[in-house]
């Protein structure tokens, strides 16, 4: 019993002792801890001259009337520093009116009043350009870390200009009364240092010239160059590594060293190469492929064939090719990985492509994004893939071509998203709209007319129901007025590509074309044509379109040269032409604006007079085609041909002159005067045109810049008086050079032809 009591007494004594310690500790806490429950009764800001007290208080969470908190004060200190206005901030407290006064003493950073540049002679930059290159500007707060960065930036400019030994320093003068600073950057310029020689060492398999051609760092020569840029030299070393790896030298090591001449301001660069051994492809194997055979995959590979040079960087491209084979069959979730190993017996690299086919994927929803002006339906109706279809790479590529051919979008891309159904993926069509409406005017000179000017309003994505913007439905509207020294043309054209949301196009044209007599350019008479047409078209297949149109023209011919023959004199007067036109077009070009591959064939047949009325009875048949071949470096070879025949019927004796074929000039056989190839009037020496035509052309274009292509061409052909004379006699031909220039108002074509 005594033990029990003593034990209980000990426990009570222990508890009392702990309680006493807690009370003693709480009484000994510092005043700052007790202030956690004190109220802030005032906030005092000192030292601010340019920054208002209200601005400082607005950035603080501590408020008069709130409870004082050390954590909040610390956060306030950080926020005030982040303003960038102050170089020093001190926060203290004192008792005030039954609470705590928070005292904030700030030291404002000086404001830059002027930035000066002294001694910057060699870099030849105007002072405003120097100001743009630094962060320190007039009116900003002085920032010493930014000053140090400015010095480095200015020294980089010297390095780029070929003065790597130049140094820049700064000096700051602060007016204590106004707290404004004058910053002076001073250049300590050294001599211009240029690269004297670039040496290549260790290159046993490739000559120095081949290596030096790869890099951009060049030695100085008569007209410049020779500036050492560290970042460019580093890129050059990586270019050399990539070159060797593409040639099978996977173990290559490349380094460099720069040496200066203590007696002259020149540099020498040594590029050191350790080539290692060259590797070749050994066996190529595939695992996991059941849908596509090994043989079909092998035929598609471009870079990893047995005995080819082994280039690790190209394996990924072949992996994409294999994925493309699966994508074309609907297996868009197929994965391809590669494994390589060195075969000790053959000393070649064996490659294994591990394929996980997964299942066929079908199109779920089709989502259109990025189209602000263009309606979704305009995009959807060009898609060759529909919801529920199996993913098909060829149809997707064709969809992209069709959307690009609209001319409404700068960029078109596709992506997929998961859907609620396991074997479906939503197709996302991302577009970036381009400018489709233009108002343009201009003037110029041509060999056909001394002067020509025009005004044109066009909207290629027109919507007559969308007031007041009139855009978004894919219609085409164009109004053009053109006036030159010898001609005046006015035209209005409208096309609805999908009539009542059916794949049938509808359009009409109204026009008035006039041309004065000018024998120097192949016009022996005045001609005025006034008329219009109504046309319908339909896609008969993916690449074939058909059209039918009715056209009515009133033709006035006058002012024929008095010495002209009776044949030409008989054309004078007014005639009405009423005709029906039929046409077929095959177009598989990858881009209608700048094709690089594909075929375009146009065939037109029209009948005037007869059952359709009018003053003349004749028919015309015209066909033409172009085939485009993509060549190296985005150059293109175009081979084209045109042929036409025409003849009169019933009681008509001949095809009227304004409906005959003409050749010569910029649109046919270049190098000859306009319309001067073919039959010529014996009296006035004016062209009479003919009833048969045959022209062929070969043109090669090479890109010089993004907007300029160089062209060279050869044209050959002729025009014959009678339909039966086609290809019965000799040909005219010409060669020449030209430029193809993209401008905001359309393509510009400049050619110089030489007749052969």
């Amino acid at each position: 019993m005594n033990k029990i009591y003593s034990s209980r007494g000990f426990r009570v004594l222990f508890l009392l002792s702990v309680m006493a310690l807690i009370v003693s500790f709480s009484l000994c806490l510092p005043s700052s801890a007790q202030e956690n429950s004190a109220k802030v009764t005032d906030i005092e800001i000192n030292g601010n001259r340019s920054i208002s007290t209200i601005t400082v208080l607005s950035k603080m969470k501590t408020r008069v009337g709130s409870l004082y908190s050390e954590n909040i004060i610390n956060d306030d200190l950080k926020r005030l520093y982040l303003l960038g206005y102050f170089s020093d901030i001190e926060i203290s407290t004192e008792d005030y009116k039954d609470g705590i006064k928070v005292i904030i003493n700030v030291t404002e950073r000086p404001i830059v009043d002027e930035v000066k540049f002294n001694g910057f002679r060699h870099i030849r930059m105007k002072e405003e350009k120097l100001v743009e290159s630094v962060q320190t500007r007039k009116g900003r707060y002085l920032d010493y870390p930014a000053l140090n960065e400015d010095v480095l930036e200015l020294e980089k400019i010297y390095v780029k200009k070929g003065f790597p030994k130049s140094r820049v320093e700064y000096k700051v003068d602060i007016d204590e009364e106004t707290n404004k600073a004058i910053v002076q950057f001073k250049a300590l310029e050294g001599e211009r240092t240029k690269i004297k020689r670039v040496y290549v060492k260790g290159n046993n398999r490739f000559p120095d010239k081949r290596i030096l051609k790869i890099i951009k760092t060049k030695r100085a020569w008569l007209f410049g160059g020779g500036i050492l840029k560290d970042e460019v030299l580093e890129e050059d070393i990586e270019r050399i590594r990539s070159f060797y790896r593409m040639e099978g030298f996977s173990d290559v090591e490349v380094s460099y060293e720069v040496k200066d001449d203590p007696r002259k301001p020149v540099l020498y660069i040594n590029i050191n190469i350790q080539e290692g051994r060259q590797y070749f492809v050994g066996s190529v194997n595939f695992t996991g492929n059941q849908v596509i055979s090994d043989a079909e995959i092998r035929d598609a590979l471009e870079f990893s064939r047995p005995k080819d040079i082994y280039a690790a960087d190209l394996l990924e491209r072949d992996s994409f090719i294999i994925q493309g084979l699966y994508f074309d069959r609907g297996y868009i979730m197929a994965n391809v990985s590669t494994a390589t190993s060195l075969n000790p017996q053959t000393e070649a690299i064996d490659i294994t492509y591990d394929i996980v086919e997964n299942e066929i994927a079908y199109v779920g929803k089709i989502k259109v994004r990025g189209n602000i002006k263009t309606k979704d339906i305009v995009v959807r109706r060009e898609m060759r893939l529909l919801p529920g279809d199996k993913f098909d790479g060829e149809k997707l590529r064709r969809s992209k071509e069709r959307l690009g051919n609209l001319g409404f979008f700068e960029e078109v891309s596709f992506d997929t998203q998961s859907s609620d159904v396991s074997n479906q993926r939503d197709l996302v069509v991302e577009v970036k709209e381009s400018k489709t409406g233009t108002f343009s005017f201009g003037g110029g000179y041509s060999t056909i007319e001394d002067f020509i000017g025009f005004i044109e309003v066009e909207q290629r994505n027109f919507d007559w129901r969308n007031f007041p913007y009139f855009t978004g439905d894919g219609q085409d509207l164009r109004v053009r007025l053109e006036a030159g020294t010898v001609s005046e043309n006015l035209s209005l054209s409208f096309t609805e590509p999908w009539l009542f949301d059916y794949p049938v196009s509808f359009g009409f044209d109204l026009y008035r074309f006039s041309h004065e007599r000018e024998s120097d350019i192949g016009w022996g008479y005045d001609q005025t044509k006034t008329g219009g047409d109504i046309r319908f078209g339909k896609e008969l297949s993916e690449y074939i379109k058909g059209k039918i149109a009715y056209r009515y023209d009133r033709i006035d011919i006058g002012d024929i040269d008095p010495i002209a023959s009776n044949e030409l004199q008989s054309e004078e007067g007014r005639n009405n032409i009423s005709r029906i036109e039929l046409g077929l077009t095959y177009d598989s070009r990858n881009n209608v604006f700048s094709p690089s591959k594909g075929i375009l064939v146009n065939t037109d047949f029209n009948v005037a007079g007869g059952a359709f009325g009018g003053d003349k009875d004749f028919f015309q048949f015209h066909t033409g085609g172009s085939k485009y071949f993509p060549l190296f470096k985005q150059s293109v070879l175009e081979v084209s041909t045109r042929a036409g025949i025409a003849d009169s019927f019933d009681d008509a004796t001949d095809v009227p002159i304004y409906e005959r074929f003409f050749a010569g000039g910029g649109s046919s056989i270049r190098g000859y005067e306009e319309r001067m190839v073919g039959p010529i009037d014996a009296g006035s020496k004016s062209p009479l045109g003919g009833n048969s035509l045959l022209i062929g052309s070969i043109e090669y274009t090479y890109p010089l810049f993004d907007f300029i292509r160089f062209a060279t061409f050869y044209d050959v052909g002729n025009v014959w008086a009678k339909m039966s004379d086609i290809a019965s006699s000799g040909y005219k031909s010409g060669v020449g050079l030209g430029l193809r220039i993209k401008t905001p108002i359309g393509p510009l074509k400049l050619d110089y032809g030489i007749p052969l």
Side-chain angles (χ1 to χ4, degrees), residues 138-358:
K138 182 178 179 179
R140 294 183 180 179
Y141 285 92
L142 184 65
D143 187 338
Y144 284 97
L147 276 174
N148 292 324
E149 293 177 8
D150 291 341
V151 166
L152 295 176
E153 188 63 32
L154 292 171
E155 289 179 348
K156 285 181 182 178
I157 295 175
Y158 270 102
V159 171
K160 291 179 181 179
K161 297 292 184 179
F163 299 90
K165 296 183 179 181
S166 297
R167 295 293 177 262
V168 177
E169 57 186 28
Y170 68 84
K171 179 183 178 183
V172 179
D173 296 319
I174 301 175
D175 189 326
E176 299 296 338
E177 293 184 3
T178 62
N179 202 34
K180 291 186 177 181
I182 297 176
V183 178
Q184 297 184 54
F185 291 101
K186 183 179 180 181
L188 307 175
E189 295 183 327
E191 289 185 287
R192 181 187 292 273
T193 304
K194 289 193 173 184
I195 300 170
K196 180 71 174 178
R197 288 292 299 272
V198 179
Y199 297 101
V200 183
K201 300 177 181 179
N203 51 314
N204 299 318
R205 294 296 299 271
F206 303 99
D208 291 3
K209 289 183 179 180
R210 184 69 181 91
I211 304 300
L212 294 175
K213 190 176 181 180
I214 298 171
I215 64 177
K216 293 184 177 181
T217 300
K218 306 292 183 182
R219 68 182 181 88
W221 58 301
L222 182 61
F223 299 103
I227 303 300
L228 176 62
K229 299 178 181 179
D230 291 338
E231 64 276 12
V232 174
L233 186 54
E234 291 286 351
E235 292 172 0
D236 287 339
I237 298 305
E238 187 55 41
R239 288 188 187 95
I240 296 172
R241 289 195 189 103
S242 297
F243 167 74
Y244 267 94
R245 288 169 184 160
M246 295 291 285
E247 295 295 333
F249 295 87
S250 301
D251 303 328
V252 67
E253 294 183 6
V254 186
S255 61
Y256 72 91
E257 55 182 345
V258 179
K259 294 184 177 180
D260 57 1
D261 191 326
R263 297 169 297 176
K264 299 178 181 179
V266 295
L267 298 174
Y268 298 92
I269 298 176
N270 295 326
I271 297 176
N272 303 308
I273 302 174
Q274 296 180 15
E275 293 179 331
R277 59 168 295 182
Q278 188 177 30
Y279 295 96
F280 293 87
V281 177
S283 63
V284 180
N285 303 300
F286 310 97
T287 62
N289 56 308
Q290 297 179 358
V291 176
I292 304 177
S293 66
D294 288 6
E296 189 173 357
I297 297 176
R298 289 184 201 279
D299 290 341
L301 296 181
E302 296 181 5
F303 308 107
S304 50
R305 298 172 181 269
K307 298 183 180 180
D308 281 355
I309 291 174
Y310 170 75
D313 295 344
L314 297 179
L315 291 185
E316 188 174 357
R317 298 189 192 181
D318 272 345
S319 296
F320 286 140
I321 290 174
I322 298 172
Q323 283 184 312
L325 293 175
Y326 278 93
F327 186 92
D328 288 347
R329 290 165 169 78
Y331 293 85
I332 68 170
M333 293 177 283
N335 293 318
V336 180
S337 58
T338 59
T340 59
S341 60
L342 177 63
N343 190 320
Q345 296 177 345
T346 63
E347 295 188 346
I349 303 294
D350 294 339
I351 303 172
T352 300
Y353 290 97
D354 184 22
I355 302 168
V356 180
E357 294 177 334
N358 291 318

Side-chain angles (χ1 to χ4, degrees), residues 112-113 115 131-141 150:
V112 178
D113 188 49
V115 180
V131 170
E132 291 176 3
S133 65
V134 297
Q135 302 175 54
T136 304
R137 306 278 179 87
K138 182 178 179 179
R140 294 183 180 179
Y141 285 92
D150 291 341

Side-chain angles (χ1 to χ4, degrees), residues 55-63 69-86 89 91:
T55 300
V56 177
L57 292 174
S58 67
K59 300 300 179 182
M60 298 175 59
K61 286 188 176 182
T62 301
R63 296 282 188 270
S69 169
E70 289 283 357
N71 291 333
I72 295 176
I73 283 292
N74 288 332
D75 289 341
D76 288 340
L77 182 64
K78 295 176 184 178
R79 277 188 288 273
L80 292 178
Y81 266 118
L82 289 175
L83 291 176
Y85 301 150
F86 310 115
I89 304 172
I91 299 179

